[in-house]
Amino acid sequence: TLEEGVFGSDPSCEGTYLNGVYEKEAIAYGETAPGFASHNDKMVRIPNGKSIRLFLGKEEFMSPGGTVDDHLRYLDMRRGLVCRRTEWTSPSGLKIQVQSRRFVSLSNQNLMVQQYTVTPLNFFGVIAIHSALDNRYDHKEQGPDTADDPRTGTPSIEHGLDLTDSGLCAGEGYFRHKVRGSAVEICSAFKDIFISPAVKTTGEIINPDLIGTVYECQAEQGKPVTLLKYVAYIHQDSADHADLRQQARQILSAAAASGFEELLARHQHMLADFWHDSDIDIAGDSLAQQGMHFNLFHIFQSVGRDGRCNIGAKGLSGPGYDGHYFWDTEIYIIPFLLFTNPEIARKLLEYRYRILPHARRRARQLSHETGALYPWRTIGGDECSAYFPASTAQYHINAAIAYAINQYLEVTGDWSFMVAYGAEMLFETARIWPGIGRFSQRHGGQFCIYEVTGPDEYTALVDNNFYTNIMAQRHLQTAVTIARRLASEAPEAFQTLCGQISLTADEIQLWAEIAGKMYLPYDNKLKINPQNDGFLDKPHWDFANIPKANYPLLLHYHPLVIYRHQVLKQADVILAMFLCGEYFPLDLKRRNLDYYDPITTHDSTLSACIHGIEYAEVGLYQRSYAFFQQSVRMDLDNHHHNSEYGLHTACMAGSWMSVVNGFAGMRVRDGRLTFRPSRPDDWPEYGFCLKFRGCQLRLLIHQNLVTYELIAGEKIEIYHDDQKIMLALDRPRTLKMAATK
């Protein structure tokens, strides 16, 4: 958004957010029951530090009646910089050019830096600049009525923050707020410095909603006036009596001493490392390349790095879903980070360990005597969803976290994490599965799981959801494997943990028995995996006669109407095929795709990338590429018509998966890094880097060849189309692709 506010009719969303900072509010129910979520965590919108208003005499820049003669605004993703240039003619004919650059520092998490330059083009005269911290967010809300859209959110300063203190002196100002329903305090502060002579302070603005300074100067035609604005945000628990204002002042003083260019250089150094490790180079498809850069950049700037916060489904880009964290992290975002920035992936898993006590408490609320049940949507650790059929019932959140923990170990080999954190999370979450199922005589003594919801939220509260069952099976197998390894390699730590959580050998043996006898639905007539018991008996959704305007279905039909039909919101069995691919022969994957794709609406942005990956695996590359195109530009092209309420971070990570897991066919199986590469017809070549077990390799897929190069580490063993390859440093290997189009 622009410094002066939101203008025009384009859908947009103004907001400034801090990851992990939220208010807590009671959930109001017309009717309630034991175990319903009691409170909602809501990410708060904090003061807007980039607020600047410009006046040419009495005429305000960008006000109605003036004319925009030229306008350019862009996000430089390589440098992490938002740039803007606007030429404008006022109603009285005064012409002015405004240029700005700003960035939120990746090298200093408390800092935003802004450069704002004004140049008169055809006049000499007084110009005034108002620089402020703005609590009002007085902007035009765009888009359709969203009162019934569960994906949007409405965090506000008015409802989330209570002002406790403010001050303004000599071009520096601050607000202190207490977050409502929380022990957190926030200090927002700014410092102005002009790179221009003869700029004087002519006024101050001090009120509960706006605090700022008014500057004036006698501007000369063709001579720029430049404001450097440094903005600091800092927060802490109110029990910590450190002086937030003093900390903010120190941050701003240090920033001003360094200056814009030096701060930008530090920021860009971090981005340079990120792009070196994470970028996907795509030749011949500029739209896909732009989309990929946009997606990866937003994930990197939104993700938590301290073990205390995570990454929201909308990142830090808008109020959608109230800023909540979902399973999106473990199934979509961590896989990208694991192979590019594993140190960040570890911090996201440490966050899950941090909220483990909340998960234990949630399990008791759901009548589980032992174990831990992670919340479906949360920030602080408690369940925040008021609609249990599509939230609490998604017990597969436990399996998602277990999957990510195991994948972290496979990719990094970091056994210390498993000893310190991972094993406890694996064991506590595994304990839930025996409590929601039983060995069923009607199914030949196999273990069945009852009354859950799988990934497909258009089918709720079912028995034997295929995805849940197979992921529970993998979870239990992993827990048993880790328990045995821990007992062998770290017996003291194992005994200590077992004592702390009262885990017995009999319980571990029960996990092994359940995993060995898990019921995985299969229909002998259709030769597919039914999504759940009874799913194939339901009537099909009337796709031919339902108008396109009625999608997404969740905005136009009562859930019961949707639940009664064979219609999917997103990949379910197809997602299981990707995550547990070794269980499925290729012909079964094809049959499942043939059956489920036509009845899937892809109303969830999590869906297209998974279908694309699986179509690549079965050799249907054109179909795969069509799904990739939906994913890679989901938000740039606003395919789901709601990007103005926040971006879709899981889909963004899914576009990376579409290339690496889809086109390049990368998998990790039993600790082995394997590839089965292909190349989209429209791409002459593409390439990317991966980290694995302390090594870094680069792949370049060009024509019908693949070049593997080890760029860090001594040696690494990989598999290319089932052929074992040993890579050594500075000794690339070029091989033919076995995949055909």
Side-chain angles (χ1 to χ4, degrees):
T1 50
L2 300 172
E3 290 82 2
E4 305 84 17
V6 176
F7 296 92
S9 59
D10 288 342
S12 58
C13 178
E14 178 70 270
T16 305
Y17 309 98
L18 301 178
N19 194 350
V21 177
Y22 61 94
E23 64 171 309
K24 206 169 190 68
E25 61 181 12
I27 298 174
Y29 293 96
E31 298 180 26
T32 188
F36 275 25
S38 62
H39 286 77
N40 180 42
D41 299 340
K42 180 179 283 190
M43 180 174 67
V44 294
R45 193 154 49 182
I46 62 173
N48 174 16
K50 68 177 184 292
S51 175
I52 295 175
R53 296 173 68 188
L54 171 64
F55 293 84
L56 318 181
K58 294 183 178 181
E59 297 177 306
E60 184 171 4
F61 174 60
M62 296 293 279
S63 61
T67 303
V68 176
D69 303 311
D70 185 43
H71 180 66
L72 173 67
R73 184 165 45 134
Y74 61 91
L75 169 65
D76 183 335
M77 293 172 281
R78 182 177 298 280
R79 304 172 68 203
L81 194 64
V82 176
C83 302
R84 172 264 189 104
R85 185 188 73 241
T86 303
E87 293 185 6
W88 183 78
T89 302
S90 74
S92 68
L94 302 180
K95 293 182 179 292
I96 198 160
Q97 181 188 80
V98 171
Q99 293 178 286
S100 68
R101 297 189 296 165
R102 71 172 184 264
F103 62 95
V104 177
S105 175
L106 288 166
S107 62
N108 184 333
Q109 65 176 351
N110 301 104
L111 190 64
M112 184 189 80
V113 187
Q114 192 171 4
Q115 182 185 71
Y116 190 85
T117 299
V118 179
T119 306
L121 298 180
N122 70 344
F123 70 95
F124 295 78
V126 175
I127 64 170
I129 296 176
H130 297 198
S131 174
L133 281 171
D134 191 350
N135 284 354
R136 300 168 302 168
Y137 284 97
D138 184 16
H139 68 282
K140 299 176 182 178
E141 294 285 0
Q142 303 293 342
D145 179 23
T146 60
D148 295 324
D149 190 341
R151 302 166 300 176
T152 63
T154 55
S156 69
I157 288 177
E158 179 184 356
H159 297 131
L161 301 180
D162 292 319
L163 182 65
T164 60
D165 187 23
S166 64
L168 183 69
C169 181
E172 296 187 37
Y174 71 94
F175 279 124
R176 288 186 62 168
H177 288 95
K178 176 79 165 50
V179 180
R180 206 164 292 176
S182 166
V184 172
E185 293 181 341
I186 300 171
C187 181
S188 312
F190 74 97
K191 182 182 182 71
D192 293 332
I193 295 177
F194 276 89
I195 308 177
S196 303
V199 175
K200 60 182 179 180
T201 301
T202 60
E204 293 182 339
I205 307 167
I206 303 177
N207 64 58
D209 296 322
L210 187 70
I211 186 166
T213 305
V214 178
Y215 305 97
E216 287 188 1
C217 71
Q218 188 70 35
E220 299 182 31
Q221 181 177 336
K223 292 188 177 181
V225 177
T226 298
L227 166 66
L228 295 180
K229 185 174 184 179
Y230 303 93
V231 183
Y233 296 101
I234 187 167
H235 68 279
Q236 67 180 18
D237 192 294
S238 57
D240 183 348
H241 297 292
D243 187 338
L244 284 182
R245 170 65 187 122
Q246 184 60 29
Q247 291 182 45
R249 181 178 292 146
Q250 291 171 355
I251 291 169
L252 293 173
S253 295
S258 298
F260 185 95
E261 296 300 338
E262 183 178 335
L263 293 169
L264 179 60
R266 295 175 196 167
H267 168 70
Q268 290 172 357
H269 179 74
M270 289 194 67
L271 271 170
D273 289 343
F274 170 74
W275 288 121
H276 175 270
D277 295 338
S278 311
D279 196 12
I280 292 180
D281 295 317
I282 301 172
D285 191 337
S286 59
L287 293 178
Q289 182 70 90
Q290 184 189 57
M292 187 64 66
H293 286 159
F294 182 78
N295 295 346
L296 302 187
F297 174 78
H298 271 283
I299 293 171
F300 187 56
Q301 73 164 6
S302 297
V303 69
R305 296 171 171 81
D306 59 2
R308 300 178 63 83
C309 57
N310 205 274
I311 180 168
K314 302 293 187 180
L316 295 172
S317 62
Y321 292 120
D322 288 339
H324 292 159
Y325 314 142
F326 291 76
W327 71 313
D328 304 33
T329 299
E330 283 74 25
I331 296 300
Y332 293 85
I333 296 169
I334 282 181
F336 156 61
L337 294 170
L338 261 182
F339 289 96
T340 57
N341 299 267
E343 67 285 351
I344 299 179
R346 174 173 172 139
K347 290 300 180 183
L348 295 178
L349 292 172
E350 287 179 10
Y351 160 81
R352 289 296 189 183
Y353 185 79
R354 181 173 176 267
I355 66 169
L356 182 58
H358 297 264
R360 290 190 176 106
R361 184 166 63 244
R362 183 60 176 157
R364 305 302 169 269
Q365 293 171 352
L366 272 292
S367 301
H368 299 290
E369 295 180 359
T370 61
L373 177 61
Y374 276 97
W376 180 245
R377 52 189 295 179
T378 190
I379 301 177
D382 294 323
E383 178 62 74
C384 293
S385 175
Y387 186 66
F388 73 87
S391 55
T392 304
Q394 296 201 53
Y395 272 67
H396 64 86
I397 180 69
N398 271 14
I401 293 168
Y403 175 85
I405 291 169
N406 186 56
Q407 193 178 43
Y408 175 80
L409 178 63
E410 282 199 299
V411 173
T412 67
D414 184 1
W415 180 242
S416 66
F417 173 83
M418 192 62 73
V419 175
Y421 307 108
E424 187 175 355
M425 286 190 283
L426 277 174
F427 299 161
E428 286 288 74
T429 50
R431 295 175 125 171
I432 298 300
W433 300 117
I436 61 171
R438 67 166 186 151
F439 295 102
S440 170
Q441 295 307 310
R442 291 173 58 83
H443 287 89
Q446 293 178 290
F447 191 84
C448 296
I449 294 176
Y450 304 110
E451 217 63 33
V452 296
T453 299
D456 169 33
E457 294 178 354
Y458 285 173
T459 308
L461 299 176
V462 300
D463 298 338
N464 293 313
N465 168 250
F466 181 88
Y467 174 90
T468 301
N469 285 22
I470 199 169
M471 290 294 285
Q473 181 185 53
R474 167 158 284 189
H475 182 176
L476 293 168
Q477 289 170 339
T478 300
V480 171
T481 298
I482 295 303
R484 291 170 179 168
R485 181 178 171 185
L486 196 61
S488 173
E489 298 183 13
E492 291 186 7
F494 179 67
Q495 290 302 323
T496 298
L497 178 56
C498 288
Q500 289 173 344
I501 65 175
S502 302
L503 180 64
T504 67
D506 288 344
E507 194 171 357
I508 296 171
Q509 181 56 39
L510 176 62
W511 297 346
E513 185 179 359
I514 291 173
K517 296 182 179 179
M518 183 66 68
Y519 173 60
L520 300 176
Y522 182 80
D523 184 80
N524 287 309
K525 182 178 179 181
L526 295 176
K527 299 188 183 304
I528 64 167
N529 298 111
Q531 184 167 299
N532 52 263
D533 289 355
F535 182 82
L536 300 180
D537 294 329
K538 296 178 180 180
H540 282 261
W541 187 258
D542 188 6
F543 285 95
N545 295 305
I546 298 296
K548 290 184 178 180
N550 284 15
Y551 295 88
L553 301 182
L554 76 163
L555 300 185
H556 298 91
Y557 299 93
H558 191 283
L560 289 175
V561 176
I562 302 172
Y563 295 164
R564 294 187 184 113
H565 291 84
Q566 286 191 53
V567 58
L568 280 68
K569 183 182 180 186
Q570 64 201 89
D572 197 295
V573 172
I574 306 305
L575 179 58
M577 289 179 1
F578 168 53
L579 299 179
C580 306
E582 67 272 26
Y583 289 85
F584 300 83
L586 210 57
D587 57 345
L588 176 57
K589 291 185 178 184
R590 291 192 183 100
R591 291 195 298 271
N592 280 333
L593 279 166
D594 287 344
Y595 190 86
Y596 287 106
D597 187 15
I599 60 173
T600 302
T601 63
H602 305 291
D603 283 347
S604 167
T605 62
L606 306 185
S607 188
C609 62
I610 301 302
H611 278 74
I613 291 168
E614 284 308 298
Y615 272 118
E617 186 171 18
V618 302
L620 296 175
Y621 298 108
Q622 289 186 342
R623 186 71 173 143
S624 173
Y625 191 69
F627 277 115
F628 166 75
Q629 288 179 305
Q630 291 183 38
S631 300
V632 76
R633 295 187 62 86
M634 179 66 69
D635 287 302
L636 279 179
D637 294 339
N638 201 6
H639 288 313
H640 277 224
H641 311 293
N642 65 349
S643 293
E644 61 269 27
Y645 303 109
L647 306 175
H648 303 83
T649 56
C651 179
M652 289 174 153
S655 65
W656 180 92
M657 295 164 62
S658 296
V659 175
V660 175
N661 299 116
F663 304 143
M666 187 270 286
R667 300 288 189 277
V668 177
R669 297 282 188 251
D670 299 323
R672 302 192 314 177
L673 186 61
T674 71
F675 298 91
R676 195 173 296 275
S678 64
R679 179 180 56 81
D681 290 335
D682 293 338
W683 297 1
E685 64 179 36
Y686 68 99
F688 54 89
C689 292
L690 294 174
K691 293 181 179 179
F692 187 80
R693 297 291 179 99
C695 296
Q696 188 175 37
L697 63 154
R698 177 166 176 79
L699 276 70
L700 179 64
I701 296 90
H702 50 112
Q703 298 179 350
N704 66 334
L705 302 173
V706 184
T707 298
Y708 299 95
E709 181 181 8
L710 183 65
I711 59 176
E714 295 183 1
K715 60 181 180 179
I716 185 173
E717 181 183 279
I718 65 170
Y719 286 78
H720 166 82
D721 288 327
D722 299 325
Q723 176 187 356
K724 184 165 69 173
I725 304 295
M726 184 64 70
L727 294 179
L729 194 63
D730 299 324
R731 295 179 61 185
R733 298 283 303 274
T734 299
L735 304 165
K736 288 186 176 181
M737 289 192 300
T740 58
K741 293 180 173 58

